[in-house]
Amino acid sequence: MSNIDLKEQEIVRRNSLEEIKKLGINPYPAEKFDVNITTSEIKDNYKEDDNKYTDITIAGRIMSRRIMGKASFFELQDHKGKIQVYVNRDVICPDEDKTLYNTVFKKLLDIGDIVGIKGGVFTTKMGEISIKAQELTILSKSLRPLPIVKEKDGKTYDAFSDPELRYRQRYVDLIVNPGVKDVFLKRSKIINTMRNMFNQRGYVEVETPILQPIPGGASARPFITHHNALDIPLYLRIANELYLKRLIVGGFDGVYEFAKDFRNEGMDRTHNPEFTVMEIYVAYKDYKWMMEFTEEMLEKIAIELHGTTKVMIGGNEIDFKAPFRRLSMIDAIKEHTGIDITGMNENQLRDVCKQLDIEVDETFGKGKMIDEIFGEKAEAKMIQPTFITDYPVEMSPLCKKHRDNSELTERFELMVNGKELANAYTELNDPIDQLERFKDQLKLSEKGDDEAMFIDMDFVRALEYGMPPTSGMGIGIDRLTMFMTGQDSIQDVLFFPQMRPEKKVQQDDDSKFIDLGIAPEWVDVVKKLGFLTVNKLKESNPNKLHQDLCGMNKKHKLGLTNPKPEDVKSWIK
RNA sequence: GACCGAGUAGCUCAGUCGGUAGAGCAUCUGCCUUUUAAGCAGAGGGUCCCGAGUUCGAACCUCGGCUCGGUCACCA
């Protein structure tokens, strides 16, 4: 294999790999390696002069090395953390043969390699808890150099910080950047806390279709795909609401799903095309009950993660201690604009918008204008958790009308740090009203609103069989994780945020070059010089090309026989 | 989609007025038996994002493109 297109450090490592094999050591052994302890267990439990850990087996990645003649230290990182390992030549090589230390450990191992260690725990003169290696086993050789991140007294040096590289190669980010893994462990804990709470109450975790013939349950542009066997279009779900409510019709009293949803819209710091939502539906409840349920849930999560209800989010201390403030949308607008819009008609609302300098369109109805006023003037000011209730009916086609006012709905959104976190309804279970609302959506769609909801007649049919009064709630798991872990970008709470695919440079196959008469061993050299396609090569200057090729041969000590100038000319003609 | 910013060694970054491309860590060769952002001495490593233009000469100036980030727009 030609190494010409590899970087220096990669060549060194591949050579080391070959040397290891020549010594009869398998750099990628198949057999299991039984670990009996983790770094954190040692650090938490070891006390000096303690003989508890004289015979331990541990495995992990080499993260740094300090080699000093016959003794060395390296840092071993496992899934829990890091610990220092002390390697002494005459301990790991008790016999005459010092190859394992002098050659394998000192020369052939690198930062990034995964090794197993048997040994005992002790404390160094500097007071650091360390492992004295008795045996060292190579478990996996690493062929690419890791970015080197160093730390001292909690301060990080040379952090691996290029966002593009971090997201594209999250595995590297997770290895070298302390704290990245922690965000994802917390994400998992958030989900588990919710799941445990729901299961304790007897609610059932379910799975509903991701491929849907009608993308319902929300207003958003869907991704579309095609099923070949059925020869029909299918949509990736934008929500799972209508399916979960069908299950309530079917007799489940409580169902929930942690669902990946997909929306074909813009991407930014708070939006990714695929994202996770938890939706839960409970029969015989209303949205007031759901507020209590939601605040209890969030309080639990905060305590589980932080041991307190108080969480720092973007410079604000947010207190998730229940109960949260409840404020109707109209009162919220009154509070932040001084204007009481109660009972106003469409023209009056239009005047209010003008007065507040809010741009509105001729097509905007009452509901949309109220929503705009709230969004512009009040939303961002809701820092502490606040339930905003009683939304205009036009904005909420799946939500039951308010018991006291038919222009409003029994809906709440939970605002935290000026952003929406959760959304809930007393669910609309009147099939006739539901069909009317769907028809209103259809009118919007005919007016050109490409995000109005589709009519789902099967869902209406399900309601016609009778759905018990029900309350449902949805909460964005990505956003919740951002709040609970202090991240201000959704990309930092997703392992693999959506990125534009890496562009592949167009390249001709080696055989095309060989067809020109180029010897196979020279093809990589030609490509290294930047001539990735035959056409590009033909545009080159043959004299310069010949010189460059010979130069490469010499520089990289390839040991090839240089082509004659007339050979090079013959390739290009 | 619009505007702004960034792209230089494996990583983090300098790079003056347009004149032979630099540092730290990493790598390689030595020395070193409790070191720790190890140290000391030496060495190697570059498509300066890509392409065109201006110029005697471009990492640097101009134009076009690519990717990422930020702001806005769109949007449950």
Side-chain angles (χ1 to χ4, degrees), chain A residues 473-495:
Chain A
M473 187 264 290
I475 183 165
I477 296 298
D478 309 301
R479 199 168 281 185
L480 176 61
T481 306
M482 286 165 67
F483 283 153
M484 290 291 177
T485 61
Q487 300 301 315
D488 54 13
S489 167
I490 197 170
Q491 297 178 110
D492 292 319
V493 300
L494 299 172
F495 275 127

Side-chain angles (χ1 to χ4, degrees), chain A residues 313-531:
Chain A
I313 303 177
N316 294 320
E317 189 188 75
I318 309 285
D319 194 347
F320 285 99
K321 176 113 190 75
F324 303 163
R325 189 177 182 210
R326 283 129 168 94
L327 192 63
S328 77
M329 187 172 246
I330 286 177
D331 287 344
I333 289 172
K334 199 193 295 180
E335 187 169 302
H336 289 99
T337 66
I339 298 170
D340 186 354
I341 59 166
T342 312
M344 282 193 182
N345 64 28
E346 199 168 316
N347 285 331
Q348 289 171 306
L349 281 170
R350 209 169 288 277
D351 288 342
V352 171
C353 286
K354 213 171 280 173
Q355 188 188 330
L356 293 172
D357 223 14
I358 294 168
E359 270 187 55
V360 285
D361 208 278
E362 286 307 306
T363 63
F364 281 25
K366 276 174 68 173
K368 189 139 187 188
M369 282 192 280
I370 293 171
D371 199 57
E372 282 293 313
I373 296 170
F374 175 78
E376 287 288 319
K377 297 294 173 188
E379 181 168 328
K381 293 176 181 143
M382 306 286 165
I383 302 300
Q384 292 303 322
T386 306
F387 290 116
I388 299 297
T389 64
D390 305 343
Y391 281 63
V393 66
E394 298 93 320
M395 310 302 298
S396 315
L398 303 169
C399 182
K400 188 176 274 191
K401 281 182 184 152
H402 197 278
R403 59 195 77 180
D404 301 326
N405 180 343
S406 66
E407 295 200 334
L408 301 178
T409 53
E410 296 210 348
R411 172 178 183 178
F412 74 77
E413 286 193 354
L414 174 63
M415 312 302 300
V416 176
N417 203 38
K419 296 189 183 77
E420 178 208 334
L421 179 59
N423 181 22
Y425 307 150
T426 301
E427 300 298 334
L428 177 54
N429 62 343
D430 173 344
I432 294 171
D433 191 5
Q434 182 65 77
L435 183 56
E436 286 303 314
R437 305 271 200 100
F438 273 145
K439 284 180 176 163
D440 290 342
Q441 290 291 309
L442 189 62
K443 281 179 206 148
L444 287 179
S445 154
E446 282 162 359
K447 269 195 198 164
D449 184 346
D450 61 349
E451 286 176 341
M453 284 188 197
F454 293 70
I455 297 188
D456 187 333
M457 285 311 294
D458 175 70
F459 176 66
V460 175
R461 178 167 63 190
L463 292 187
E464 284 169 355
Y465 283 100
M467 180 171 90
T470 298
S471 185
M473 187 264 290
I475 183 165
I477 296 298
D478 309 301
R479 199 168 281 185
L480 176 61
T481 306
M482 286 165 67
F483 283 153
M484 290 291 177
T485 61
Q487 300 301 315
D488 54 13
S489 167
I490 197 170
Q491 297 178 110
D492 292 319
V493 300
L494 299 172
F495 275 127
F496 304 104
Q498 193 58 243
M499 303 280 276
R500 200 178 289 276
E502 285 178 81
K503 207 161 64 178
K504 261 192 144 175
V505 181
Q506 200 206 331
Q507 220 186 100
D508 281 344
D509 198 77
D510 287 8
S511 62
K512 282 203 169 185
F513 288 89
I514 293 167
D515 289 347
L516 295 179
I518 302 174
E521 64 271 23
W522 278 98
V523 172
D524 282 341
V525 186
V526 170
K527 285 188 171 177
K528 172 78 175 173
L529 283 170
F531 301 107

Side-chain angles (χ1 to χ4, degrees), chain A residues 55-72:
Chain A
D55 188 18
I56 59 151
T57 307
I58 194 165
R61 197 182 287 274
I62 298 174
M63 294 304 286
S64 70
R65 301 201 299 164
R66 294 180 282 278
I67 294 175
M68 306 162 302
K70 302 185 189 75
S72 300

